[in-house]
Amino acid sequence: MTQQRKWYSLADKVWSPANLAMAAAAVLANNGAAGVDRQSCDRFAEHLGDELDRLGQAMRAHRYKPLPVRRVWIPKPGTNKQRPLGVPAVRDRVVEEALRRIMEPIWEPTFSADSYGFRPGRSAHEAVTRIYGYLNKGYRWVVDADIQDYFGSMDQQLLMDKLAERVADGTVLGWVRDMLRAGVMDAGQWQATPRGTSQGSVLSPLLANIYLDVLDHTMEALPGVQFIRYADDWCALARTQADAEAALATAQAVLTELRLTLHPEKTRIVDVHDTAFDFLGFTFFWVETKDGTGRPLFGPKRAAVERFKDRIRELTRRTQPMNIQMVIDALAPVIRGWGQYFTVSQAADWSGLDAWIRERCRAFIVKRWNRHPALDVEWPNRRFAELGLPSLAQMRRQIKAQLPRP
């Protein structure tokens, strides 16, 4: 691990006009929703210079206090449940981004190579292809684990202690503490936040990585175990059941010290030769080959495919007052976004999904515009391509050429 250094003066770097301006540019580019003060990104941008001057002055005079986070509830994929999302005020998002820009370089050089989530130059694709590579190398035993309510359960004092190991600037630590304790507004009622960090906060991903850094380095040192973490999702792979059991016991011990718990119903040890497991939206499984040795494969989770098809059905509803070009224009970003994430995997019928999408489009034309049902001649596959309909099979071929060999 790179030698740690303690930083004593950071506040002036956080509130510097250049840093606040770059932080504001990043926040405004995302064009997120308004917080409890109802100030939108557009309104903030209208008077950007004045807003940043006031914000910088408040920070320098130690008058800056973050507002409570506006809580919204969003559907949890694949369930009937909802999960909370915090929406900070735009000005608070600017401060969080300004803090992140100064704090991230302090921790980034010492983070484990096993951590992939929300880190510059790292991605979920790297994490899943690394898992695939280890499965190919004989790491068949997998600790498939889930941290229960991770973002909502972090101990704030433990987190502040970890920050203080590197940062001695009380002003910066005070800002972070105030953000953690600002509370939430839910349906007009203020609620305290004595634990956790808000999902939706610009700073939360970095804080989450700092909090679990000890888990990364502890698991990294385990012999016979390969560990991969992406935010609060992680798994450990081993060649033997005994090594997998040791990995789970070690992880449980570290998480207990961090005052976190593993979900009892979502934590298990599996032999991938017998039982599939999921990670970051993909399902990993084992298939038999003609020579009897078998090999691993991975593809989109069934639920991910069904959610994608539901979205395509919604966009190709036949009662819409739209022409086919408008429908394809609406479909294109959905297909590209889903495909760019999932076509890194090989175990899916990409050509079949392409054909299904085209048939949805043909059915739209028949129903909406009373065209003759024999459309395969009038609307061949190439015509959809000419109108801009992306192809998942083509995306798969392109991404396969770029992938490193496992």
Side-chain angles (χ1 to χ4, degrees), residues 16-39:
S16 74
N19 190 49
L20 286 178
M22 287 186 283
V27 169
L28 296 177
N30 288 330
N31 197 30
V36 294
D37 61 354
R38 300 185 179 181
Q39 184 183 41

Side-chain angles (χ1 to χ4, degrees), residues 162-377:
K162 291 179 181 298
L163 296 180
E165 292 173 3
R166 307 275 186 96
V167 174
D169 189 320
T171 299
V172 169
L173 294 175
W175 288 333
V176 176
R177 183 181 291 108
D178 288 345
M179 289 170 178
L180 293 172
R181 298 178 180 175
V184 300
M185 292 293 292
D186 190 354
Q189 298 294 317
W190 181 84
Q191 299 176 11
T193 49
R195 296 184 65 82
T197 179
S198 172
Q199 292 193 60
S201 160
V202 177
L203 198 57
S204 283
L206 175 61
L207 298 180
N209 279 336
I210 292 171
Y211 199 79
L212 284 182
D213 189 49
V214 63
L215 174 66
D216 298 338
H217 287 291
T218 301
M219 301 299 286
E220 183 180 49
L222 279 181
V225 173
Q226 302 296 338
F227 182 73
I228 296 96
R229 182 176 68 82
Y230 191 98
D232 56 333
D233 290 328
W234 64 269
C235 67
L237 298 94
R239 296 181 188 274
T240 68
Q241 183 175 0
D243 283 344
E245 290 171 348
L248 177 56
T250 300
Q252 284 177 319
V254 173
L255 292 172
T256 297
E257 291 181 3
L258 293 174
R259 300 173 192 175
L260 299 170
T261 57
L262 291 173
H263 198 297
E265 297 175 1
K266 297 181 180 179
T267 300
R268 58 183 183 155
I269 295 175
V270 302
D271 179 354
V272 75
H273 286 208
D274 301 321
T275 307
F277 71 97
D278 297 332
F279 190 74
L280 295 181
F282 295 92
T283 297
F284 294 81
F285 56 98
W286 193 263
V287 294
E288 296 300 323
T289 54
K290 292 181 180 179
D291 61 6
T293 58
R295 69 187 183 102
L297 290 176
F298 73 106
K301 286 172 59 175
R302 180 176 299 176
V305 175
E306 289 307 313
R307 286 195 298 270
F308 172 68
K309 294 177 81 169
D310 285 344
R311 181 63 176 144
I312 300 300
R313 290 186 185 100
E314 179 184 349
L315 293 173
T316 54
R317 283 183 294 110
R318 300 163 200 178
T319 56
Q320 298 180 93
M322 302 168 67
N323 61 37
I324 188 59
Q325 182 64 71
M326 296 165 70
V327 170
I328 288 175
D329 289 345
L331 287 172
V334 174
I335 297 169
R336 286 196 197 96
W338 193 85
Q340 284 169 358
Y341 186 76
F342 283 108
T343 55
V344 70
S345 60
Q346 72 279 67
D349 182 8
W350 307 114
S351 295
L353 278 172
D354 282 340
W356 179 81
I357 293 169
R358 290 191 297 268
E359 286 309 306
R360 289 290 306 180
C361 290
R362 290 188 177 105
F364 172 85
I365 298 167
V366 169
K367 181 71 174 181
R368 184 71 183 86
W369 301 105
N370 297 318
R371 297 295 298 275
H372 191 277
L375 285 170
D376 283 349
V377 175

Side-chain angles (χ1 to χ4, degrees), residues 16 54 96 135 139 159 170 186 237 265 284 331 378 392:
S16 74
R54 282 195 293 270
E96 290 179 6
L135 293 174
Y139 288 82
L159 174 58
D186 190 354
L237 298 94
E265 297 175 1
F284 294 81
L331 287 172
E378 293 184 54
L392 292 168

Side-chain angles (χ1 to χ4, degrees), residues 55-213:
L55 191 55
Q57 290 171 12
M59 295 173 75
R60 288 190 291 274
H62 303 284
R63 290 185 286 104
Y64 168 73
K65 290 288 182 182
L67 296 171
V69 168
R70 182 171 67 89
R71 174 168 286 171
V72 296
W73 295 88
I74 61 175
K76 196 171 183 180
T79 71
N80 294 322
K81 300 179 181 178
Q82 293 183 313
R83 66 181 182 91
L85 185 69
V87 183
V90 176
R91 63 158 200 154
D92 294 332
R93 296 206 291 274
V94 172
V95 176
E96 290 179 6
E97 174 63 13
L99 280 166
R100 187 201 64 78
R101 291 175 57 82
I102 300 304
M103 294 172 61
E104 185 176 78
I106 295 173
W107 272 273
E108 181 60 33
T110 62
F111 280 150
S112 168
D114 295 335
S115 170
Y116 288 87
F118 307 108
R119 294 183 60 191
R122 313 203 107 207
S123 69
H125 282 176
E126 289 179 297
V128 297
T129 53
R130 185 175 166 204
I131 290 172
Y132 178 59
Y134 285 127
L135 293 174
N136 266 304
K137 294 176 182 177
Y139 288 82
R140 59 188 287 181
W141 291 92
V142 180
V143 180
D144 181 15
D146 181 82
I147 300 175
Q148 199 161 10
D149 187 25
Y150 173 54
F151 284 92
S153 299
M154 280 189 285
D155 186 285
Q156 292 180 358
Q157 188 55 54
L158 275 179
L159 174 58
M160 294 307 303
D161 291 344
K162 291 179 181 298
L163 296 180
E165 292 173 3
R166 307 275 186 96
V167 174
D169 189 320
T171 299
V172 169
L173 294 175
W175 288 333
V176 176
R177 183 181 291 108
D178 288 345
M179 289 170 178
L180 293 172
R181 298 178 180 175
V184 300
M185 292 293 292
D186 190 354
Q189 298 294 317
W190 181 84
Q191 299 176 11
T193 49
R195 296 184 65 82
T197 179
S198 172
Q199 292 193 60
S201 160
V202 177
L203 198 57
S204 283
L206 175 61
L207 298 180
N209 279 336
I210 292 171
Y211 199 79
L212 284 182
D213 189 49

